[in-house]
Amino acid sequence: MAWTKEMPARPVVAVAGATGAVGREFLRVLHDLDFPASEVRALASARSAGKKLAFDGCGDVPAGDLVVQEMTPESFEGVDIALFSAGSDVSKAMREAVVAAGAVMIDNSSAFRMDEDVPLVVPEVNPGDVSWHSGVIANPNCSTIQMVAALKPLYDLSRITRVVVSTYQAASGAGAPAMRELYDQTREFLDGAPDDELTVKAFQHRIAFNCIPHIDKFLEDDSTKEEWKMVVETKKIMGDEDIKVAATCVRVPVLRCHGESINVEFADEVTVEAARAALEAAPGITVMDDPASNVYPMPGLLAGTDGAYVGRLRRDPSVEHGLAFWNVADQIRKGAALNAVQIAQLLLPRA
Ligand SMILES: NC(=O)c1ccc[n+]([C@@H]2O[C@H](COP(=O)([O-])OP(=O)(O)OC[C@H]3O[C@@H](n4cnc5c(N)ncnc54)[C@H](OP(=O)(O)O)[C@@H]3O)[C@@H](O)[C@H]2O)c1
């Protein structure tokens, strides 16, 4: 059903999952973009009720502590925009209450991304898709967001027929506890703890000084769900069912920022120079590419930054019209909180 409710110019915003890695970033991004909120509500589980979260303020909301409230279906009364990052189960449980309250849910989980009535939006790629939502807009998977942001200006030069991507995904992609596990485990490891005494909870194996080629669960064809998400979400966001995508997703001992090695095959010839010019002109993309001076994007040095970074641009000689490059983005910002707040900006009434 088409959405008819008008968005006020000063919306009430709920941050659902405010104490988590993405939730805390939502609060920073709302401030950084000075989102014109009239109120910001911080919601999380009963475990966090009463906890105080420092907030630098945005719109009509002054800087100061936000007191976390337990998220219940009633939490959304009077809310206009609900930014969700509390996991799929919570999004599914709260969807009806959010939409019944007249709020638009912008959801970071994978609960609704492939639903036909839910737009999957990256503002630099398919901003127009927000127009057909019926109460829920999905934020794509973090690895997909930074990839399609870079693919879009290239696709505008020539149709992309095939993409081969290998990801190097940061520990924080699995949440705040996973980020703490990388710190603590690294310390334990350096203190000489043997493998069987290390605390391994967030991942299937030790992440300190290791790489784990396993993100989300394995599927019947032995790919992982994270890899499947990159395949199907890319087609939906780019609006092209024919793009072939092969993905291998790997967890690496980096705190924040995913890296991606990407090989693209075009329908027609695209020179490296034309690709570079298109990427340099693209919104949300920064080209960092000067091999002679050892300049390329690196995850360890780009934490907390906006947009996606592209470097190591070169021809892929293994196919007829091929291009290879390296892509880095802070997946908690562009891959989650920033992208979602940019979607919220698209919902604001035009001045
Ligand atoms: N981390 C990333 O890079 C990233 C990127 C894109 C998308 N996402 C997605 O965003 C979501 C959150 O990820 P995260 O990394 O921020 O996880 P996280 O750090 O573990 O945070 C989870 C948040 O959800 C809340 N929560 C959990 N169970 C709840 C319940 N039953 N009722 C209410 N609140 C509940 C937690 O509250 P308490 O503190 O009270 O437990 C916390 O605020 C996931 O769907 C994830 O797939 C994450």
Side-chain angles (χ1 to χ4, degrees):
M1 205 175 57
W3 192 256
T4 49
K5 193 185 163 224
E6 273 185 37
M7 183 59 67
R10 316 290 287 179
V12 173
V13 176
V15 176
T19 52
V22 177
R24 287 170 188 267
E25 203 63 41
F26 269 137
L27 298 179
R28 283 189 279 268
V29 173
L30 286 167
H31 167 76
D32 292 348
L33 301 191
D34 195 17
F35 193 80
S38 57
E39 182 190 334
V40 175
R41 282 182 207 170
L43 308 173
S45 78
R47 293 178 291 274
S48 305
K51 205 169 173 176
K52 288 182 180 158
L53 296 177
F55 181 48
D56 289 333
C58 71
D60 303 337
V61 187
D65 287 343
L66 297 177
V67 179
V68 178
Q69 301 167 32
E70 179 184 355
M71 192 191 318
T72 67
E74 291 72 40
S75 307
F76 301 97
E77 289 306 322
V79 168
D80 300 298
I81 295 175
L83 300 168
F84 261 77
S85 64
S88 292
D89 291 345
V90 178
S91 296
K92 285 178 189 161
M94 293 291 161
R95 177 183 184 159
E96 208 180 303
V98 173
V99 176
V104 179
M105 174 192 258
I106 302 176
D107 185 35
N108 266 281
S109 82
S110 58
F112 315 116
R113 287 183 190 145
M114 296 312 293
D115 289 7
E116 277 186 8
D117 62 341
V118 175
L120 186 62
V121 177
V122 177
E124 293 86 347
V125 180
N126 59 338
D129 280 347
V130 296
S131 65
W132 55 266
H133 78 84
S134 48
V136 181
I137 300 173
N139 208 57
N141 173 255
C142 44
S143 322
T144 312
I145 292 178
Q146 70 185 72
M147 182 170 81
V148 296
L151 292 184
K152 167 71 174 147
L154 301 175
Y155 192 100
D156 290 343
L157 295 175
S158 164
R159 189 167 59 81
I160 291 171
T161 55
R162 179 169 184 250
V163 179
V164 179
V165 54
S166 298
T167 69
Y168 301 64
Q169 296 185 219
S172 55
M179 199 178 342
R180 275 194 299 276
E181 185 158 313
L182 173 56
Y183 268 120
D184 295 345
Q185 222 180 54
T186 303
R187 197 172 290 121
E188 290 170 36
F189 188 84
L190 290 173
D191 285 345
D195 257 297
D196 59 2
E197 283 178 21
L198 293 172
T199 313
V200 177
K201 271 197 194 146
F203 304 108
Q204 304 82 1
H205 302 277
R206 155 160 71 84
I207 184 65
F209 302 96
N210 196 16
C211 297
I212 307 173
H214 177 182
I215 302 181
D216 210 329
K217 61 183 183 192
F218 277 102
L219 304 178
E220 265 183 16
D221 66 355
D222 290 339
S223 68
T224 62
K225 193 163 176 209
E226 183 82 353
E227 290 157 0
W228 173 83
K229 287 177 208 164
M230 292 195 80
V231 175
V232 296
E233 292 183 20
T234 298
K235 292 170 190 272
K236 180 167 175 176
I237 300 161
M238 302 287 288
D240 184 346
E241 277 301 311
D242 294 332
I243 302 182
K244 294 192 182 78
V245 180
T248 302
C249 294
V250 182
R251 190 73 71 188
V252 296
V254 162
L255 280 170
R256 276 175 82 134
C257 291
H258 292 346
E260 297 181 344
S261 158
I262 301 176
N263 290 66
V264 173
E265 194 174 347
F266 297 98
D268 304 301
E269 178 63 16
V270 171
T271 62
V272 172
E273 292 68 33
R276 186 188 308 282
L279 287 161
E280 280 172 348
I285 298 286
T286 304
V287 176
M288 280 180 89
D289 191 29
D290 183 5
S293 307
N294 301 337
V295 172
Y296 27 71
M298 287 180 283
L301 305 184
L302 289 169
T305 59
D306 290 340
Y309 293 77
V310 172
R312 299 292 325 279
L313 262 176
R314 62 211 189 274
R315 202 169 77 80
D316 173 355
S318 67
V319 291
E320 198 183 352
H321 304 303
L323 184 77
F325 62 94
W326 169 247
N327 173 245
V328 173
D330 183 327
Q331 92 291 344
I332 306 182
R333 276 187 84 87
K334 183 57 191 166
L338 175 62
N339 197 73
V341 176
Q342 287 171 329
I343 292 172
Q345 285 180 316
L346 293 172
L347 299 174
L348 293 172
R350 299 277 148 242

